[in-house]
Amino acid sequence: MASVAELLTNFKTLMHQWFPFTTEMNSAINNVEDRIDDVALEIFKKTGVIDKLEACSTIVDLETVVHNELQILAESYEDWLSENGVEECILYAVTAHSYDNDTVFIVLDHFYFYDSAEGTVSLLNDYDVELEASSYNVNINGSVTLTATLTDQLGNPIPYKNVEIYKNGSSLSKGITNNKGIVMFTVTCNAEGLITFSAGNASIQVNVIYDTGWVDLSSQLYSTISAYENSASNKLKARRIGNIVHLRGTLTYTGTSQIGNGATATQIAHAISSEFRPITSERTLQQASGNKVFLFSVNSDGTLSVARTRNENGSTYIRNGEWINIFVTYMV
């Protein structure tokens, strides 16, 4: 089992094997060694990576391994990482340079382990994921933006790492953190209820509600029915939240005939949208002009009707110029 000191010596030797002894390359090697001395060992001690590294025979700096290829492609190291993610870039380097043993790759002062038996890459540094949502209460079919921020135990961002987001335990999407360790996902919520989103060691819940907002139903009213005093606040409107629908409006009857007398219902509106329709007709008593009351029905086919108008003298009608209130709540 190699010591960390031996690994560092081996690392320098490996770089000299990969690259010619030019002034430019020696400078790059010295920079890498400075990073190891100033940063890596500190991270080893504070994250527990040192134990994992001592069990590994090879440690290399990814940038030096792929230096020549990137020059040929005229692509910067960080652009390459940001496009593909660290894990995929390491797998490329493994294939291109025929690594057949377990290897630790240094990538922007973080440490990734290539398991030669499994063919997988994993981050050795302990890290945390902070997961946030743009809203924790979302209307159905609305979108929410999830932001995942990855930092190591020293608070440093983890750039260009592949991140997988889960929805209720099932894989939903994948992304790559930017140079600040942040990746964002936009998700459309198409089912009501609580949704649990998770990434790494973080999880949050978003409540998806069915809320139509107030929908103007004026266009569905018969021509003889209009908002009382033509006021916008008196228009017939509907709102559905979950499986609860509320209708409200104060209307005026402007027809010449009398309506709403007896058991035969008089329709006052064409079929409203299916999302507001009850399974079976919903009936309530409502107030009309003076001391009149009437039976208001929201029918299963979506039509609205009035019937059985009465006052203290018994059965009566709704006449021209009289108003009718509609304030009713029911389940669908």
Side-chain angles (χ1 to χ4, degrees):
M1 182 178 293
S3 69
V4 172
E6 289 172 326
L7 286 169
L8 297 180
T9 300
N10 292 339
F11 177 65
K12 180 177 179 180
T13 302
L14 282 169
M15 285 193 296
H16 282 290
Q17 291 174 349
W18 279 111
F19 299 102
F21 292 101
T22 63
T23 301
E24 178 185 355
M25 202 57 237
N26 277 324
S27 175
I29 290 171
N30 290 332
N31 287 337
V32 171
E33 287 183 333
D34 288 343
R35 265 210 330 274
I36 292 174
D37 292 339
D38 297 340
V39 180
L41 286 178
E42 188 67 18
I43 294 176
F44 292 165
K45 295 173 184 177
K46 293 188 177 182
T47 64
V49 174
I50 188 168
D51 295 332
K52 301 170 186 176
L53 285 175
E54 287 182 344
C56 185
S57 62
T58 307
I59 176 171
V60 298
D61 183 83
L62 181 63
E63 185 173 7
T64 60
V65 169
V66 298
H67 178 79
N68 289 341
E69 286 95 329
L70 292 179
Q71 282 192 324
I72 293 171
L73 294 173
E75 187 168 21
S76 74
Y77 180 54
E78 291 207 20
D79 284 347
W80 181 59
L81 292 173
S82 68
E83 290 169 8
N84 303 285
V86 171
E87 293 89 341
E88 290 301 318
C89 290
I90 289 175
L91 289 174
Y92 164 80
V94 165
T95 301
H97 296 279
S98 302
Y99 284 91
D100 57 4
N101 61 312
D102 290 351
T103 306
V104 171
F105 289 87
I106 301 177
V107 184
L108 301 177
D109 298 328
H110 293 98
F111 304 89
Y112 289 82
F113 176 66
Y114 168 66
D115 187 320
S116 59
E118 299 294 330
T120 57
V121 176
S122 57
L123 180 65
L124 286 181
N125 303 76
D126 293 330
Y127 68 95
D128 290 315
V129 180
E130 181 182 352
L131 191 60
E132 297 179 305
S134 56
S135 176
Y136 293 89
N137 292 286
V138 183
N139 194 23
I140 193 165
N141 296 324
S143 295
V144 61
T145 298
L146 307 172
T147 302
T149 304
L150 277 62
T151 54
D152 63 21
Q153 295 300 299
L154 302 178
N156 300 312
I158 301 177
Y160 314 129
K161 185 185 184 312
N162 288 285
V163 176
E164 189 165 10
I165 193 84
Y166 291 83
K167 175 183 176 182
N168 293 332
S170 297
S171 178
L172 178 65
S173 185
K174 296 180 181 180
I176 300 172
T177 59
N178 62 16
N179 62 347
K180 296 181 180 179
I182 297 171
V183 60
M184 303 175 74
F185 305 87
T186 299
V187 181
T188 299
C189 303
N190 51 17
E192 288 182 82
L194 283 176
I195 299 178
T196 299
F197 294 105
S198 58
N201 62 345
S203 65
I204 57 173
Q205 287 189 316
V206 172
N207 185 34
V208 182
I209 56 176
Y210 191 114
D211 188 347
T212 62
W214 288 105
V215 178
D216 189 347
L217 301 181
S218 298
S219 63
Q220 300 304 109
L221 293 171
Y222 281 20
S223 60
T224 55
I225 305 292
S226 60
Y228 180 67
E229 295 181 340
N230 291 316
S231 170
S233 62
N234 292 329
K235 287 183 176 182
L236 181 65
K237 295 181 179 180
R239 183 173 184 175
R240 177 176 167 179
I241 302 176
N243 64 345
I244 304 297
V245 174
H246 184 65
L247 293 181
R248 71 180 187 192
T250 302
L251 309 175
T252 300
Y253 174 61
T254 58
T256 56
S257 60
Q258 299 171 336
I259 63 171
N261 177 257
T264 301
T266 303
Q267 287 189 12
I268 62 170
H270 303 288
I272 59 176
S273 174
S274 59
E275 62 190 330
F276 301 122
R277 298 179 191 178
I279 296 175
T280 58
S281 296
E282 296 283 344
R283 300 179 178 90
T284 61
L285 283 178
Q286 300 287 308
Q287 181 71 42
S289 289
N291 56 1
K292 293 180 180 180
V293 295
F294 64 95
L295 185 67
F296 174 69
S297 297
V298 184
N299 302 305
S300 58
D301 63 0
T303 58
L304 310 179
S305 60
V306 299
R308 299 185 183 278
T309 306
R310 66 181 187 271
N311 57 18
E312 72 278 9
N313 298 317
S315 179
T316 185
Y317 298 88
I318 294 173
R319 297 179 171 86
N320 176 275
E322 294 186 333
W323 54 265
I324 54 177
N325 276 314
I326 296 175
F327 290 90
V328 56
T329 300
Y330 55 92
M331 297 179 67
V332 294

